[in-house]
Amino acid sequence: MIAVLAAAGWLGAGGTAVAGRRRIATGLAALALVATLARAATTVALARAGWWFAAEKVVIAAPLSLAAVVVGVRRTPVALFFAGFAATGAVLVTVLHGYPVSAAAALLTVAGIAAATAVTWRLLHRRTSRPSVAVAVVALVAGTGFAVIATASPEPPHRHVPVAAATTTTSRQAVNGPTKRLTLTAGTIDGAWAFNGQVPGPEIAVTVGDTLEVTLRNRDIDRGVTLHWHGYDVPNDQDGVPGVTQDVVLPGGQFVYRFKADQAGTYWYHTHSASDIGVRMGLYGVLVVRPAPGAATTGDNECAVPNGSCADVTVPLHTLGGRLLPEPTTAQLAAGTPVRLRLINTDSTTHRYAVAGAPFRVVAIDGVKLDGPTPLENTALLIPAGGRFDVLTGAPAALFVDGRLVHSTGPVPPTPGAWPVFDPLTYGAHSRAPWSHIDRSLTLVLDRGLDLRGLLPRYAHTVNGAADPDIPTQVVHRDEVVRLTIVNRSLVVHPWHLHGHHVLVLARNGKAPTGSALWLDSFDVRPGEVWEVAFRADNPGMWANHCHNLPHAEAGMMLHLMYA
């Protein structure tokens, strides 16, 4: 806001100076000078405090602001306009480019400022300012050269493989044990895309120890389909990412997925081919993996296996054509009957859930049990895109999503109001991390700005200043403990999702969790937040690592993690 005020002040001073209103021009210039000095002071203070987003303000915006002050104090119309262009350029670098600082961005900004100054000189004096033109040309050529050099840098190890014709493919793995087989056929129906003619697709329920074998067929989805087992840490060749782990399944083709069910919990599946369209149109479904017979089913898992005294309800929330699914349902249960609600957010944005009418506990997040969950009341749950919360409550109770009734087990209580929001980092019994060291640290800075890696700049959702497919692949070695620092420099929420691994939350904004160990596969990184998470590299392959706001991923916010 201070930077915008400074730019507006200098430009306003230039405009009023041209109009002959010198007193107003002087006042606006003084305002711009104060704002410029204030911006310098706040930037220095924040940089000294370790602010993640100070780099381009120190390296690029600061020299431009200094030039604005030195030239602008002359108070001629052209000088004031130059100061305004310099201040505006500093703002645009922050908004459009930002991270990381690059010579190309700095030089192209200087070229724009010099060109704008040359045009202004021409309009006001009816002659050309040769120094301004020369600076603009030299900066443009040099900035373009640096951008080309960046483009010509070594390619990331990952390259998309060609899409093959429709084929029948079977997993390379030999998986033994009882096998549950089913077929999912993707096709269009009544304006939606569906598995087996229904939205959501069939619920897949297996038991730990089973082998799941799913034959995916594509009837008529021209964009192609795959199956990604969201949150389930399958072997790499079963992950369903087209161009990485398999070819897309085109109309008339099929692919056979086969893997061992070894993780009890709540998960879901969806297409990963043109997923921003396919998932929104209806290509998704629920995957529930229940404990093996004889496994401990007491305590927080007492409702893991449906029986005569317990209700197990899956709620895959989805927005289809502007309509929220599922439709409201009611199951009249005897008072005190345990109810396990498996809450699944299949949309690309966060939803607000509320359990009303009875106390509840959050017993698992993203398929992983929490330690020592305590009863909650009058508390809202924010579930990120792709995330799952398992909630244990008792009848009668009601589930609301964004203020809309979704499920009830008796009389419906009043619609919840502005309840405080549940913080999973402070919930449950505290437990220590399983590692005493970190072998490798990687950083992801999420942003929206100009991607200068290609021959033509594009405005994209970026990671470390680049957009897919130009984001360098991050490389790890097997059995390393890897720390990911994920920083959101943008103005929107990014629900982050690493395939093939659950990550342990180490810190959010520098503060370590005080509750149960939190193993996540989908989590919201809000504007300005810094998350530190870690995982053990124990699932070899090439893995997608992306924002699960799927339009963001389609617009560039997708990279890959590769085992060396």
Side-chain angles (χ1 to χ4, degrees), residues 284-303:
Y284 71 97
V286 173
L287 170 65
V288 175
V289 182
R290 295 191 167 91
T297 57
T298 58
D300 296 333
N301 285 328
E302 64 191 72
C303 207

Side-chain angles (χ1 to χ4, degrees), residues 84-327:
F85 298 146
T88 301
V91 174
L92 291 179
V93 168
T94 294
V95 174
L96 296 181
H97 187 261
Y99 186 91
V101 174
S102 70
L107 289 168
L108 292 175
T109 303
V110 170
I113 295 169
T117 303
V119 171
T120 302
W121 188 284
R122 178 72 180 177
L123 292 174
L124 294 181
H125 298 289
R126 300 187 182 280
R127 64 179 186 274
T128 302
S129 171
R130 293 182 179 179
S132 298
V133 172
V135 170
V137 171
V138 170
L140 178 62
V141 171
T144 303
F146 277 105
V148 170
I149 291 172
T151 302
S153 62
E155 293 290 345
H158 164 67
R159 305 303 303 164
H160 289 287
V161 300
V163 174
T167 58
T168 299
T169 311
T170 305
S171 168
R172 297 187 297 272
Q173 291 196 327
V175 183
N176 301 316
T179 300
K180 180 166 185 175
R181 295 182 174 88
L182 70 151
T183 298
L184 295 178
T185 300
T188 58
I189 179 172
D190 297 331
W193 297 358
F195 289 120
N196 292 4
Q198 64 183 72
V199 178
E203 180 173 317
I204 301 175
V206 295
T207 301
V208 169
D210 288 348
T211 293
L212 179 60
E213 182 177 293
V214 178
T215 300
L216 171 65
R217 293 173 179 164
N218 183 356
R219 189 179 71 228
D220 59 0
I221 304 295
D222 291 336
R223 300 291 294 270
V225 294
T226 65
L227 286 179
H228 169 59
W229 310 95
H230 187 106
Y232 212 76
D233 301 335
V234 297
N236 189 242
D237 66 339
Q238 303 300 292
D239 196 44
V241 179
V244 180
T245 67
Q246 68 172 90
D247 293 329
V248 69
V249 179
L250 298 174
Q254 71 176 39
F255 188 97
V256 180
Y257 299 86
R258 184 177 172 87
F259 57 90
K260 192 86 165 181
D262 56 4
Q263 305 164 223
T266 304
Y267 308 92
W268 63 295
Y269 62 88
H270 61 82
T271 183
H272 219 282
S273 176
S275 57
D276 62 315
I277 300 173
V279 177
R280 175 169 49 85
M281 294 291 287
L283 291 176
Y284 71 97
V286 173
L287 170 65
V288 175
V289 182
R290 295 191 167 91
T297 57
T298 58
D300 296 333
N301 285 328
E302 64 191 72
C303 207
V305 180
N307 54 55
S309 62
C310 182
D312 194 325
V313 183
T314 56
V315 187
L317 191 78
H318 191 76
T319 304
L320 182 66
R323 181 166 57 99
L324 195 65
L325 300 177
E327 297 291 345

Side-chain angles (χ1 to χ4, degrees), residues 6 13 36 45 56 58 222 248 258 311 321 327-328 397 413 470-471 495 506 551:
T36 301
E56 90 284 348
V58 173
D222 291 336
V248 69
R258 184 177 172 87
E327 297 291 345
D470 298 315
I471 306 173
L506 301 180

